mmCIF file of all heavy atoms in Angstrom:
data_model
loop_
_atom_site.group_PDB
_atom_site.id
_atom_site.type_symbol
_atom_site.label_atom_id
_atom_site.label_comp_id
_atom_site.label_asym_id
_atom_site.label_seq_id
_atom_site.Cartn_x
_atom_site.Cartn_y
_atom_site.Cartn_z
ATOM 1 N N LYS A 997 18.318 19.583 -1.540
ATOM 2 C CA LYS A 997 19.393 18.943 -2.288
ATOM 3 C C LYS A 997 18.888 17.858 -3.197
ATOM 4 O O LYS A 997 19.651 17.309 -3.992
ATOM 5 C CB LYS A 997 20.424 18.376 -1.301
ATOM 6 C CG LYS A 997 20.989 19.389 -0.335
ATOM 7 C CD LYS A 997 21.706 20.522 -0.995
ATOM 8 C CE LYS A 997 22.282 21.488 0.002
ATOM 9 N NZ LYS A 997 22.968 22.647 -0.666
ATOM 10 N N THR A 1000 19.032 12.800 -3.411
ATOM 11 C CA THR A 1000 20.215 12.354 -2.647
ATOM 12 C C THR A 1000 20.043 12.603 -1.153
ATOM 13 O O THR A 1000 20.498 11.820 -0.317
ATOM 14 C CB THR A 1000 21.458 13.043 -3.179
ATOM 15 O OG1 THR A 1000 21.628 12.815 -4.548
ATOM 16 C CG2 THR A 1000 22.719 12.550 -2.451
ATOM 17 N N VAL A 1084 23.438 10.571 -7.726
ATOM 18 C CA VAL A 1084 23.952 10.909 -6.404
ATOM 19 C C VAL A 1084 24.730 12.245 -6.551
ATOM 20 O O VAL A 1084 25.705 12.301 -7.304
ATOM 21 C CB VAL A 1084 24.867 9.816 -5.835
ATOM 22 C CG1 VAL A 1084 25.436 10.266 -4.477
ATOM 23 C CG2 VAL A 1084 24.076 8.521 -5.663
ATOM 24 N N ASN A 1085 24.276 13.241 -5.807
ATOM 25 C CA ASN A 1085 24.924 14.529 -5.822
ATOM 26 C C ASN A 1085 26.335 14.418 -5.263
ATOM 27 O O ASN A 1085 26.568 13.935 -4.139
ATOM 28 C CB ASN A 1085 24.112 15.525 -4.982
ATOM 29 C CG ASN A 1085 24.551 16.976 -5.224
ATOM 30 O OD1 ASN A 1085 25.735 17.233 -5.467
ATOM 31 N ND2 ASN A 1085 23.589 17.874 -5.151
ATOM 32 N N ALA A 1086 27.335 14.882 -6.040
ATOM 33 C CA ALA A 1086 28.732 14.771 -5.597
ATOM 34 C C ALA A 1086 28.985 15.554 -4.328
ATOM 35 O O ALA A 1086 29.868 15.182 -3.538
ATOM 36 C CB ALA A 1086 29.670 15.285 -6.705
ATOM 37 N N LYS A 1087 28.191 16.603 -4.049
ATOM 38 C CA LYS A 1087 28.428 17.379 -2.860
ATOM 39 C C LYS A 1087 27.968 16.666 -1.588
ATOM 40 O O LYS A 1087 28.287 17.081 -0.475
ATOM 41 C CB LYS A 1087 27.650 18.700 -2.963
ATOM 42 C CG LYS A 1087 28.149 19.629 -4.073
ATOM 43 C CD LYS A 1087 27.374 20.915 -4.100
ATOM 44 C CE LYS A 1087 27.890 21.853 -5.193
ATOM 45 N NZ LYS A 1087 27.118 23.109 -5.267
ATOM 46 N N ALA A 1088 27.258 15.544 -1.797
ATOM 47 C CA ALA A 1088 26.817 14.736 -0.638
ATOM 48 C C ALA A 1088 27.834 13.750 -0.170
ATOM 49 O O ALA A 1088 27.653 13.069 0.861
ATOM 50 C CB ALA A 1088 25.509 14.021 -0.959
ATOM 51 N N ARG A 1089 28.990 13.609 -0.873
ATOM 52 C CA ARG A 1089 29.969 12.634 -0.516
ATOM 53 C C ARG A 1089 30.448 12.770 0.933
ATOM 54 O O ARG A 1089 30.560 11.787 1.663
ATOM 55 C CB ARG A 1089 31.203 12.721 -1.440
ATOM 56 C CG ARG A 1089 30.873 12.574 -2.924
ATOM 57 C CD ARG A 1089 30.406 11.204 -3.274
ATOM 58 N NE ARG A 1089 30.256 11.039 -4.740
ATOM 59 C CZ ARG A 1089 29.621 10.079 -5.303
ATOM 60 N NH1 ARG A 1089 29.000 9.178 -4.600
ATOM 61 N NH2 ARG A 1089 29.557 9.999 -6.645
ATOM 62 N N PRO A 1090 30.747 14.000 1.425
ATOM 63 C CA PRO A 1090 31.232 14.101 2.805
ATOM 64 C C PRO A 1090 30.191 13.606 3.817
ATOM 65 O O PRO A 1090 30.563 13.052 4.879
ATOM 66 C CB PRO A 1090 31.451 15.596 2.984
ATOM 67 C CG PRO A 1090 31.697 16.093 1.640
ATOM 68 C CD PRO A 1090 30.818 15.292 0.732
ATOM 69 N N PHE A 1091 28.898 13.798 3.518
ATOM 70 C CA PHE A 1091 27.832 13.364 4.453
ATOM 71 C C PHE A 1091 27.781 11.828 4.457
ATOM 72 O O PHE A 1091 27.635 11.206 5.542
ATOM 73 C CB PHE A 1091 26.503 13.936 4.008
ATOM 74 C CG PHE A 1091 26.435 15.410 4.065
ATOM 75 C CD1 PHE A 1091 26.699 16.237 2.965
ATOM 76 C CD2 PHE A 1091 26.155 16.069 5.276
ATOM 77 C CE1 PHE A 1091 26.650 17.608 3.001
ATOM 78 C CE2 PHE A 1091 26.104 17.457 5.366
ATOM 79 C CZ PHE A 1091 26.355 18.191 4.239
ATOM 80 N N PHE A 1092 27.926 11.206 3.306
ATOM 81 C CA PHE A 1092 27.965 9.749 3.270
ATOM 82 C C PHE A 1092 29.215 9.221 3.964
ATOM 83 O O PHE A 1092 29.190 8.135 4.536
ATOM 84 C CB PHE A 1092 27.875 9.266 1.836
ATOM 85 C CG PHE A 1092 26.482 9.346 1.249
ATOM 86 C CD1 PHE A 1092 26.258 10.185 0.159
ATOM 87 C CD2 PHE A 1092 25.448 8.616 1.753
ATOM 88 C CE1 PHE A 1092 24.976 10.258 -0.402
ATOM 89 C CE2 PHE A 1092 24.176 8.655 1.221
ATOM 90 C CZ PHE A 1092 23.924 9.514 0.147
#
Side-chain angles (χ1 to χ4, degrees):
K997 304 299 181 182
T1000 304
V1084 177
N1085 193 327
K1087 295 181 180 179
R1089 303 294 188 195
F1091 297 95
F1092 284 115

